Amino acid sequence: MEHIYLTYLEIGTGIYKSQVIDVVAKLNELGAEKGYKIRLVALAPLRTYSKNKEWLKENAPDAIVLPAVPRIKNWKLNRMVLNFLFLMKGRPKTILARNILAAHIAKGVKGAQVIFDGRGAIWKEAEEYNIFDQALSNEEVKRMETEAVHQSAFRLAVSNQLVAYWKKYLGYTQNNHVVVPCTLSTHHLDEAGGVTRKDLGWSDDSVVLVFSGSLAGWQSLDDLYNPLEALLEKQHEACLMFLSKENELTQRLEQKFSGRVKRFWLDHKQVFSYLSLADYGLLLRSPSITNKVASPVKFAEYLSAGLQVLISSDIGDFSESTQKEKLGHVLKSFDDLRALNLTALNSSDRERSRAFAAKYFNKSSEDVEARFKQIVQFSLDSK
């Protein structure tokens, strides 16, 4: 195995499918003529190992799934797991490591060049949202992220804002990186059809807003209730769809605006057809460094479904793109929702969104392929 993509404790989600499995497949496609081959190696949580292995083998038959040593604080012990694997399979030339813990585990593999796949501002995410829940101190996370950025041979960043964070907070001074935003699932565009507005009890004249995603802290759902309530009270033709799990906010809005607010928790393959029913996608988040450097895949999903985006003013590289390319409304605060007078989108609005998504977020577009080719070439050039 000359090249591997290493993940640690991340398996079984739509994000993993689109941002890991599909990326590995694209890299292999682009490097095939030059003899490049990268293989996915996943360290899976021990308690869900069998379930994760079954899922991954179904979605990526060539992948290798290994049980991770329990507890994040014991992450270093996973180096032994990897070295045992490579003793049997041969040591890799490069390891493309997803996030800081995978990068540090990869550092323990003798002779391998580490390519750091930076997914966000992990130190600030730990400070702002307690993502490690005391398993690692914030100081330790900062040190590990700094070392991952500085000691890796090459780097991927999900946004230019993430590179700016590396430079401002972690002292990164090089230019040895490529920016690859979170791209669409390979099969995303093939899964439209099925449900209609009529099925949901809404008319073609309705103005439909949608929130799609998890209920994690950085999604800022608690701050959305009052502005959404005010917008729905002002615009009687407005309807709202949540593609998420249930929480107090969704319950309260469903009860108050019966028939106009609906919630669905869908299989990933169903999401696109529901998104396509809407006019505007909600991407409003509270100010934080985590959000400032982010590359939410829902931005690409909203646009590819023909929606415009209601986005906060400091979300990765996307707020500027929204303003410049007329892809929606950039809001300085959640309360700006109250002042909007939204109208249903016309065909040219929808086509502009789709065209932007096709150019910058489709893995087969010229722009995206050129970025992935830099990873392939660096790997091939590694000694």
Side-chain angles (χ1 to χ4, degrees):
M1 295 190 299
E2 283 200 332
H3 312 284
I4 70 167
Y5 189 126
L6 178 66
T7 69
Y8 174 59
L9 306 184
E10 297 181 79
I11 296 183
T13 65
I15 290 293
Y16 193 93
K17 176 76 168 60
S18 65
Q19 307 309 314
V20 177
I21 295 173
D22 288 353
V23 167
V24 169
K26 174 54 69 172
L27 293 173
N28 279 321
E29 174 193 321
L30 295 174
E33 288 187 3
K34 297 183 178 181
Y36 172 86
K37 169 69 177 175
I38 186 168
R39 192 169 183 183
L40 176 57
V41 176
L43 291 164
L46 185 60
R47 59 185 175 81
T48 57
Y49 172 71
S50 295
K51 179 182 178 182
N52 287 154
K53 183 176 181 179
E54 180 181 358
W55 182 88
L56 191 51
K57 284 296 187 179
E58 180 182 337
N59 288 278
D62 190 43
I64 295 174
V65 191
L66 302 170
V69 175
R71 299 185 180 180
I72 289 178
K73 68 179 182 180
N74 297 323
W75 64 265
K76 287 184 182 179
L77 297 178
N78 290 285
R79 290 172 173 173
M80 294 189 296
V81 177
L82 276 192
N83 279 306
F84 182 72
L85 170 69
F86 299 142
L87 186 65
M88 298 185 294
K89 301 281 189 180
R91 293 189 180 277
K93 184 187 295 184
T94 65
I95 301 177
L96 177 52
R98 181 178 168 88
N99 241 320
I100 64 170
L101 287 169
H104 278 268
I105 293 168
K107 278 171 54 181
V109 178
K110 187 177 180 180
Q113 293 258 52
V114 178
I115 303 171
F116 175 48
D117 187 357
R119 311 309 301 175
I122 306 305
W123 166 45
K124 289 301 181 180
E125 206 169 320
E127 277 194 340
E128 294 167 345
Y129 300 104
N130 192 29
I131 59 171
F132 291 107
D133 192 24
Q134 325 272 287
L136 298 171
S137 70
N138 292 341
E139 293 76 15
E140 188 174 7
V141 174
K142 181 183 181 182
R143 176 186 60 78
M144 292 178 70
E145 186 173 25
T146 301
E147 290 177 1
V149 170
H150 284 268
Q151 296 175 10
S152 295
F154 192 67
R155 300 146 198 86
L156 282 73
V158 294
S159 68
N160 290 295
Q161 289 295 332
L162 178 57
V163 176
Y165 159 81
W166 289 347
K167 292 179 176 180
K168 179 177 180 179
Y169 292 95
L170 307 182
Y172 176 62
T173 57
Q174 301 180 50
N175 195 35
N176 198 17
H177 63 266
V178 61
V179 174
V180 184
C182 290
T183 48
L184 293 162
S185 169
T186 301
H187 305 292
H188 182 76
L189 297 177
D190 300 327
E191 292 159 354
V195 67
T196 66
R197 284 192 177 188
K198 186 177 180 180
D199 294 331
L200 304 185
W202 298 337
S203 74
D204 290 338
D205 295 328
S206 299
V207 178
V208 180
L209 287 72
V210 61
F211 172 91
S212 176
S214 75
L215 306 180
W218 53 81
Q219 301 282 5
S220 308
L221 277 178
D222 290 344
D223 297 317
L224 272 173
Y225 180 84
N226 288 334
L228 284 174
E229 179 185 49
L231 185 146
L232 289 166
E233 286 177 339
K234 183 180 74 170
Q235 290 200 236
H236 297 292
E237 72 279 16
C239 299
L240 175 61
M241 176 168 49
F242 287 99
L243 304 183
S244 66
K245 292 183 177 180
E246 188 174 61
N247 77 345
E248 184 181 354
L249 178 142
T250 64
Q251 288 178 328
R252 288 166 62 193
L253 287 172
E254 282 184 279
Q255 290 169 2
K256 181 161 187 177
F257 301 97
S258 178
R260 293 172 59 199
V261 178
K262 296 180 182 292
R263 185 198 63 83
F264 307 94
W265 183 239
L266 306 169
D267 182 275
H268 186 68
K269 293 179 180 180
Q270 299 174 281
V271 170
F272 186 76
S273 61
Y274 279 76
L275 286 180
S276 300
L277 302 179
D279 296 289
Y280 300 93
L282 290 165
L283 189 42
L284 300 172
R285 296 182 177 179
S286 57
S288 69
I289 293 175
T290 297
N291 288 328
K292 184 174 183 177
V293 308
S295 175
V297 72
K298 73 169 70 176
F299 182 78
E301 291 175 344
Y302 287 155
L303 294 180
S304 69
L307 280 61
Q308 290 202 338
V309 184
L310 306 181
I311 189 171
S312 296
S313 58
D314 215 0
I315 304 292
D317 301 334
F318 296 159
S319 301
E320 182 180 353
S321 296
T322 301
Q323 184 76 37
K324 182 179 178 181
E325 303 295 335
K326 298 180 180 179
L327 301 172
H329 299 273
V330 179
L331 307 184
K332 293 182 179 179
S333 72
F334 292 93
D335 277 345
D336 286 352
L337 267 177
R338 302 169 184 264
L340 291 178
N341 288 300
L342 300 173
T343 58
L345 300 185
N346 58 41
S347 58
S348 62
D349 293 330
R350 293 187 181 276
E351 183 51 38
R352 185 166 57 252
S353 293
R354 292 190 188 102
F356 189 88
K359 182 175 181 179
Y360 294 108
F361 302 113
N362 188 318
K363 289 182 176 67
S364 296
S365 75
E366 182 179 350
D367 181 85
V368 175
E369 285 195 347
R371 297 166 192 254
F372 282 134
K373 283 178 181 177
Q374 292 186 49
I375 303 164
V376 172
Q377 193 59 53
F378 177 86
S379 300
L380 291 170
D381 292 342
S382 296
K383 304 295 184 182

